[in-house]
Amino acid sequence: MQPYKNLSGRSGVRAYVIGADYILVLFIRGNRVYNYTYTKAGVQHVENMKRLAELGKGLNTYINKYARELFD
C-alpha cells in the first residue's frame, strides 16, 4: 500500500492502492481496507478518488460526501 500524504493533517485515510478499475483505501479508524470499484462506486467516483489519493489531500472528505457506502 502507498501511504497517504495527508497534506491537511486531518485525514482519516492511512494508505491506498490504485488498480485499473478500483482503489483500495485503508482508514486509520478500524484498520479496515475498503474496495471502491467501477462496478459499485462508478467510474467517475473511482477516478476522482484515485486523483485525490495521489494528490494527498481531500480523499477522506470526498469519500464521506460522495462514496461512503459505495464500497464492495
Side-chain angles (χ1 to χ4, degrees):
M1 294 201 104
Q2 176 74 29
Y4 185 63
K5 292 177 189 170
N6 191 11
L7 297 177
S8 72
R10 300 179 310 234
S11 182
V13 175
R14 177 172 299 179
Y16 64 92
V17 173
I18 290 177
D21 61 351
Y22 67 89
I23 182 169
L24 301 175
V25 180
L26 173 64
F27 291 94
I28 293 169
R29 283 190 165 183
N31 204 31
R32 181 175 170 199
V33 176
Y34 291 81
N35 184 19
Y36 296 93
T37 64
Y38 281 4
T39 303
K40 181 79 177 206
V43 174
Q44 183 177 0
H45 286 312
V46 172
E47 290 301 318
N48 287 339
M49 288 188 277
K50 288 180 183 181
R51 181 179 55 81
L52 293 169
E54 290 176 335
L55 286 174
K57 186 173 180 185
L59 180 57
N60 193 68
T61 299
Y62 185 91
I63 290 170
N64 283 331
K65 190 169 184 180
Y66 299 109
R68 187 175 188 107
E69 300 297 323
L70 299 178
F71 59 89
D72 284 344

